[in-house]
Amino acid sequence: MQSYRIKKINFTDVFMWVVGAALLLLIVVGSFLTLQEEKYTAVQWFDLAVFGLAQGSVYALIALGYTLVYGILRMINFAHSEIFMSGAFIGYFAASSMQKSGFMQENPLLGILITFFVAMTTSTVLAVLLERIAYRPLRGAPRLVPLITAIGASFFLQYVFRGLFGTHNRAYPEIEIIKGTVPISGDFQIQKIQIVVILAAALMMALLVLFVQYTKTGKAMRAVSEDKAVAALMGIDVDKIIVNTFALGAALAGAAGVLYCFMFRIVTFYMGFIPGIKAFTAAVLGGIGNPAGAMLGGLFLGIFESLGPTLFLDGLGIPAPYQLKDVIAFTMLVMVLIFRPTGILGERLSKTKA
Amino acid sequence: MSSIQQQNTFDWKKTLQIGLIGGAVGVLIAMVGMVEEFNKRDIIAGTLTMGWTILSLTMLVTGLFAARAAASNASSVVGSIVAGTIFGAVMSILVWIVDKYNIRDILVNASPTLVKHLTFEKGIPNGLFMLIGLGAAVGGLGGVIQILPENIRRAISLGLGIAALLGLLQEIIQVSLANFEGASKAVEWMFGKGTEKGLSLAGAILVFVVVAAGNYLWTGNASKISAGFEKLPQSSRKSFRWLGYGLLFLALIYLPVVLGLYLTEVVNVTGLFILMGLGLNIVVGFAGLLDLGYVAFYAVGAYTVGVLTNLSGELTLNLGWNFWLALPIGVALAVLAGVALGVPVLNMRGDYLAIVTLGFGEIIRILALSDFLKPHIGGSQGIVNIPPPGFLDVIIKTPQTLYYLIVAGCLLALFISSRLRDSRLGRSWKALREDEDVAQAMGINLVATKLLAFATGAAFSGLSGSILAIKLGTIYPHSFALLISINVLALIIVGGMGSIPGVFVGALLLAGMPELLREFAEYRLLIYGALLVVMMQVRPEGFWPEATHKRELHAENAEPQAEGGAA
Amino acid sequence: MNKRLLALLSLLAIASMALAACGGGGAATEAATEAATEAATEAATEAPAAGFECTDAIGCVDIAPGDPIHIAYALTVSGATASLGEDSKGAIEIAIADRGGELVGHPIELTGEDTLCNAEGGQAAGTKISADATIIGVIGTNCSSEARAAMPLISQAGMVMISPSNTNPDLTDPTHSDHHPGYFRTAHNDLFQGRIAAEFAYNELGLKKVATIHDGSPYAESLQRVFAEVFAELGGEVTAQEAVNVGDTDMKPVLTSIAAGAPELIYFPIFEPEGNLIAAQSKEVAGLENVLLMGADGLFADTFPEATGSAASGMYLSGPYVDVNNEAYKAFLQKWADQIGGVPPSGFHAHAYDATNILLNAIEEVAVVDADGTVHIGRQALRDAIYAVKGFAGLTGTLSCDENGDCATGEALGVFQLSDAEVNGAWPPPVLWQP
Amino acid sequence: MTDILTATGVTKQFGGLTAVNNLSIKIPDQSISSIIGPNGAGKTTFFNCVTGFYTPEMGAIHFRGNRIDGLRSDQVTQMGVSRTYQNIRLFSNLTAIENVMVGYEPHLKTNWLDAVFHTPRYHNDEKAAHEEAIKLIRFVGLTGLGDQIARNLPYGAQRRLEIARALASKPGLLLLDEPTAGMNPNETVEMMHFIRNLRDSFGITIMLIEHDMRLVMGISEQVTVLDFGEKIAEGTPKDIQSNPRVIEAYLGRGAATEGMAAATGKPGKPH
C-alpha cells in the first residue's frame, strides 16, 4: 500500500493563505513606515496603549456575558449589548439625581457604589426577564430560532429605551475624585479614570473566576456547560443555572456600562450596539465559551483598535485612518477565525459534534 | 377553595396575572409614546384613533387570554371582564401618576397630552372611570369572542382587521380611486369627509359586515368550490390556471396606471425589497446560512452602477457608461463579492457566520464612507448625477417607468429562485440547512453549494442595488446601513423562511406598509423587534410557510407539470 | 393541447380588448407610462375658467372659489433629526398665521411629508408631492441629500421649492447636475460658513495651524473641506484632516494622532454626541491641553455645553445668527412662544420663516384673480418672481435671490463663544464675531 | 473473494485519548460484517474515519483499492461508501422522497444553468432521481408515506428511510450504525431479514455496528470486536462467541447488560 493520502488542500485554502499573507505584509510594512516617520513620541504611543487597555477592559467585561451564555446555551445573546446599555442608562438616573441632591459630591465613593448597584441590578433584572420571556420557551428549537429572537429582542429593547427616555444625549456627572491624571515618570502619566476602569474590571474578572471555580453554583454552571442532560441527571436544576448565568453575565455588563460612562459620560439608547459588537468580536477572538479567552480577546481588541489605525495605516499614507478602525477590527476577526476557527485560546468545549 | 370548585369557576391568580401583564404592556405602549403618536391618525373618522385601536387590541387580547385560562364559558367571560378591569386599573394608576407628578425629565412621553388622551379629555377622575370601564368592556368582548365557534371567531377578526387596514390606508385608497369618476361618491360615503382621515362610521360597519359575512360564507363553502374545481378535467383546470396567469400579467402591466405616481413609488420601494428578500431567502431560507451583512451586495451593485455611469466628473473614473452595460457588471461584481465573502466563512457555523457577515457588511459601508476611497467612490458625498437609462424611446426615470424595470427584475428573480428551489441545488441547500454534516456525507459538495447560495443571493441584491442607483440618481453610503440587512431578514422571517410567496407577503408588510405609514418611522424598529420575538415563539414558520411538495401521490403529474413550467 | 390553445387564445382576446379599452394603439406599457406621466400636467391645465387662457410655459394652477392655496413642506420631522424639521415647520406655520391663514382670498392649506434626512425619504416625499398637482410650492428640504433626490421630481412637476437649511454648494451650482430650476434656498451655502469660520480662525484669532475632523456626514465633510481650503488659501497650515464614525466614543486615538501635528485649533463641524466626546476628550490628550476648539451649527444646541461639561467652555461655534435685538425677530420669538410654545429647537427657523414669506409674496404677486374669485397661478411666472426677489427684508437679513437660487448672502452668520455660563445652562451664547 | 475495504493501522486520537488504535480490518466484497464492542470502544469513530468525518492520524484506508482516508465525506460518498447514523439524522423538514432524492446526489450532473433553463439534463436528472426515490421508498416499505415530512414519520419508518437515503447513492459499501437501536425484538428480527435482503437485492457490502447480539450473530459473516480502540478479536460469529478475550471484555468489567450471555435476545439499549 504505497499510495499517498490525497491532500485536502484546495483552491479556497490557497486563496485564504494568500489573503492572510498579504494582510500580514501590509501590517508589517505599514508599521515599519509609521515608526520610521517618528511622527509620534513614546509618550503618545504609551497613551494610546493605556487607553486601549482601559477600553479593552470594558470590552472584556461585556464579552464575558456573551461567553458565559454561549458556554451554556450555545447561543449568541445578541441582546446582551442592550443589557449593557440598560445598566448604563438607569445608572445615569441614579448618578445624576445624586449629583443634583449633592450626595455625590459629599460621598463620592458611596455614590459611585450606588450607581454600580443600580446599574447591575437593572441589567440583571432585564436579562432574567428576557431569558424567561423570550429564550426559555425556545429550548430545543433549531439554532436559528433563538438567534433571530435575540436579534429581535435587541432592537426591541433599544427602541423601547428610545421611546421611554427620548433621543437626546444625557451625560453622567463629572465626579471630581476620578478626574485628573497620575504621573508615572517624566512625561508619562495615566488618567485616573483609566486606572479605575482597569482595576475595577480586573477585580470583577477575578471575582468571576473565583465564583465559577469554587462556588456550588459556579461548579454547577460548569457541569451544565459540559453536558446539560448529564447535569440534570445529577440533580442540577438546569433552568436555574441558566438563569444564574444570564444574571451573572448581565451584572458584569451593567458594571461595564457604568465604567464605560465614567470614561465617556454620554448615554444614548444606541450606545450598546457598537461596544456589544466589539465585545462579541472579542469573545470570538479569544475563543467563545472560554472566559479567559474573552478577557484576553477584549484586551487584545482594545489595544489593537487604539494602536492599529495609527500604526498600520498612517505610514501607508491612508487619509483619516481612524475611520477604518472597525474595518481593521473585523478583518482581524475574520483572519483569526480562518486560521484558528476556535479563537486564540480555543473554545473551551471543543467537543466535535459529528 | 376546593379544587372541584376551581374547575367550575376560574383561576383568580391566573386572571390577575394576565390582567397585570396586559396592563404592563398597555403602560409600555403608552410610555414609549405610541398612543400619543398614533392618535394623530384616525381609523374611523372622529370616533376611533389608531392609538386607541392599538390599546383596545391589547385589551382584547388580554381578555382572550383570560378567557382561555378559564374552564367554562360563563367563567371565561367573567374572567375576561376581570382581567380587562385590571388592565384599565393599571392604566389608570399610570395616568394618575403622570398627572400628579412631573416625570417628564425621565420618561419623555409622560406628558399632559398623554393624560388628556387617556382620559378622553374628561379629566380625573371621570376619565379614569371611563378607562376602567372600557377595559372591562373590551376585555369582556375578548372573552365573548373566545367562546364563539372557530369559524365565527375567524370571520369577526378578519372583519375587524380589514376594516382597520382600510381605515389606516384611507388616504392612499382615496387618492388612487380619485381617478375614477364613478367611485368618488362611494368613496366619499365610505371615508371621512374633507380633511378627515379614516373610514366613516357607516363605512367601517359596512366593511366589517361584508368581510365578516363573506368570510363566514366562504369558509362554509370553500371546500365545495375547490372540490368542484378538482373535479374539472385536467385540461380545463390548466386553462383556468393560464387564465389566472393572464389576468395577473395584465394586472401587473396596468398597475401603475391605477395606482398613480405615489403608490407606484411605494410599490417600487417594495419591489426592491422583494428582490433582496428573494436573494436572502436563498441564503438564509434555503441554505440556512444566517447572513447579517446582506446589504453589502446591495451596496456593491449600487456603487458599481454609480461609478460606471455617473457624469459628475468628480471621481477618478469618469466613464459615463450606459446603464445597460453597467448593470451586468454590477451584478457580476456583487456575485464576486458574494463569493469573496463566502470563501472565508465556508467552515463557520451559524453564530460565527452571523457576526462575520455583519462585520463584512460594516466593512463595505465604512469603506464606501471613507476618505481613503473618496476620490474613487465619493466618500461621504456619495455619487451624484447618475443619469437615467433609456429603453427604446422611453427614459426610465419616473416611478411608472422604473416600475416595469423593477417588476422585470422581480419576475426574473422569482423565476430563477423557484426553478432553483425545485432542482438538485434547491434540495442540496435545504439538506445543508437541516444538517450540514449529513448533507456533506450524502455527497453534497459543501464548497460549491454554499458558494452558489451566496453568489445567487448576492446577484439578486446586486441587481436591486443597481436599480436603486438609477432610481435615486444619487447614492450615499448612508443608504447601506445594517438596518437594511435587518429589514430584509425580518421580512423573510415574517413571510416564512424558505417560502417564496412569503417574501412577497413579508415585503408588503415590512417594506410597503412602513413606506405608507412613514410618519411612524420612529416605531418601525421597535415593532420589527417585537415582531421577530413574537413570531419565533408563536409562528416560527412565518405567515406563509414554505410549501412541501407532493411528489409521491401526484407522481403521474410531476412530468407534465415540469413541462408546463418550461413552456 | 387543444384546451391549452383555447386558453391562450382567450388570454390574447382579453388582452386585446383591454388594449382597445385603453384607447388602442401602441404597446400597453407605452400607454400606461404616457397616461401616468401626463396626469400631472393634465390635472394642472384642466378646464381653465372662462376668460383666462393659461399661457405659462409649464402650466398653471387654478384655484376655484373656496378651494385652498395648497403649499407643502418636506421636512425631517421624525427621528434623530426631528428637531431640525420641527424648527422649520413651526416657522412655516407662524408665517401662514401671520397672514390670517389666507392669501388672495383663499385659505392656505399646508400639508407635509417627512423626509427622514436621507435620499430615499427625499425621493418618496418628492414623488408624493409632485403627484399632487394642486401644490404650488414647497418649503424644504432640511438635509441636502433629500434635496438631491426630491428636486428633480419637484422641478419636473413645475413647482418651486425653497429650502431653509440645505447648505450643500452643488444645489445652486449651475454647472452641477443637482441644480434644478425652481430650487431656491434661504440657508447659507457651505461655502459661506466654511469661509467665515476659516477667516475667523486666521484673521481674528491669528492662528497658523489647524486640524479638522468630520464624521462622514456629507454636511460635515463638505464644511470641513471648505474650511481647510480657505484656511490654506489664507496662508495657514492644515496639519490633519481626520474623520471619525457616527457611534464612536473613543476619540482619544484620533486626537492623539492629531496632536502629533500640534495644531492650535481643531475644527469639527459635526453633531452630538460625537462632538461632545471630541470636546471632552481633547483636554485629556497630551499636547492638546491648550488647543482651541471650534464647531458649527450641528453643535449649536442647548444640550451640547451641558452634556460636554467644563471642556466646552471657551469653545467657538459658527452658525446662523439672527440678532436677538432685532425687533422683528423678537416678535417672531414671541409668536413662537404663543402659538407653539417654548423656543425654537434648532437654528433654521428664521430661514424657514423668510422662505415661507418669499413664497407667499411671490404667489400673491403672480396670482391672476377672476371676477368670480378663481385664482390662476402660472408656474413659470412664480419661479421668475422668486428669481427676481431683490432686497427682501427678512429675519435673516436682506435677501436677494440670484439666478441659481441662492437667496442668502451669508450675512446671517456669526461665530459664538461658549463660556461657563452655557455649561451651567444658559442659552444661547453671545455672538463674538460677525463677518 | 476480493476485499472491498481495507484499513491498515488506523489510529485516531482526541487530545490525549486514543479512540481508535492501530486498527486493521479487511472487509470482503458483498459480505455482511459487524463491529461490536462496549460503549466507547471506538466503533463509531472508526465509521467516521471511513466516511471522511475524521482524518486518522496514522494508517490508511483503501476502498476498492483507492485510498480514501483524508478525503472529505462527500468525496468518500462519491466513491461509493454510504452510511446511516446511530441517532437518526434525517433532513427532518424535508419529505421522505426529498430525503432520498438528496441521497441520489452523487449521480446528478445538473448545474445552476441547467436548473434555471430546464435543459434536457435537468429533466433526465430529476426523472432519474425521482424514479430512484420512489423505487427505494417502496423497497424499504414506506409506500404511501413518501410525501410525509420526515420528522413526522414513526421511529421505525425513520430508520428505514435513513437506509433508503443511504442506498440512493448506489453505494458499494453501506455502513449501518446501530440499525436496530430502540427497536423491539420483532422489529429487530424484521430488520435482520431486511438487511440480508438488502445485500442480496443490491449486491452490496454491508458493515454494521450493533449491540444486539442475536442480530449480529445471526447475520454476520465476519465479526470484529473492539475494546478501547483496539481490535481484540476477529472471525466468524462462532469464533467470536467462544473467544475468551471477548468474554472478558464484555463480562470482565461487569458490563453484564451488554454481555455475551445476554446475546440470546436482549433488546438493544433503549434509545
Side-chain angles (χ1 to χ4, degrees), chain B residues 371 381 385 400 471 476 518, chain C residues 36 114 123 148 177 214 218:
Chain B
D371 286 2
Q381 300 297 338
N385 198 359
Q400 281 95 345
K471 177 172 175 291
Y476 289 98
R518 279 234 319 281
Chain C
D114 189 357
Q123 186 169 52
R148 288 194 207 263
S177 62
H214 72 84

Side-chain angles (χ1 to χ4, degrees), chain C residues 11 54 89 107 112 144 152 216 296 336 354 357 398 406 413:
Chain C
L11 179 71
C54 181
K89 192 178 150 202
S144 298
W336 188 290
D354 288 350
N357 278 321
T398 309
D406 256 329
L413 276 167

Side-chain angles (χ1 to χ4, degrees), chain C residues 4 37 42 64 124 204 264 266 326 340 392 422 431 435:
Chain C
R4 190 195 282 185
T37 40
E42 245 171 59
E204 300 299 313
E264 298 161 284
I266 303 175
N326 177 340
I340 293 159
F392 172 84
E422 281 75 39
V431 69

Side-chain angles (χ1 to χ4, degrees), chain B residues 235 239 246 254 257 261-262 314 369 371 374 380-381 384-385 398 400-401 404 471-472 476 478-479 515 518, chain C residues 3 11 19 22 32-33 36-37 114 120 123-124 127-128 130-131 145 148 168 176-178 214 216 218 221-222:
Chain B
S235 50
S239 313
Y254 283 103
V257 183
L261 200 63
Y262 175 62
E314 285 162 14
L369 187 62
D371 286 2
K374 185 173 192 306
S380 53
Q381 300 297 338
V384 296
N385 198 359
T398 62
Q400 281 95 345
T401 44
Y404 294 105
K471 177 172 175 291
L472 285 179
Y476 289 98
H478 301 91
S479 300
E515 195 59 37
R518 279 234 319 281
Chain C
K3 291 280 184 180
L11 179 71
L19 283 178
C22 269
T33 45
T37 40
D114 189 357
E120 285 88 343
Q123 186 169 52
T127 311
K128 201 166 176 188
S130 59
S145 54
R148 288 194 207 263
N168 194 297
H176 199 278
S177 62
D178 282 329
H214 72 84
E221 200 274 338
S222 140

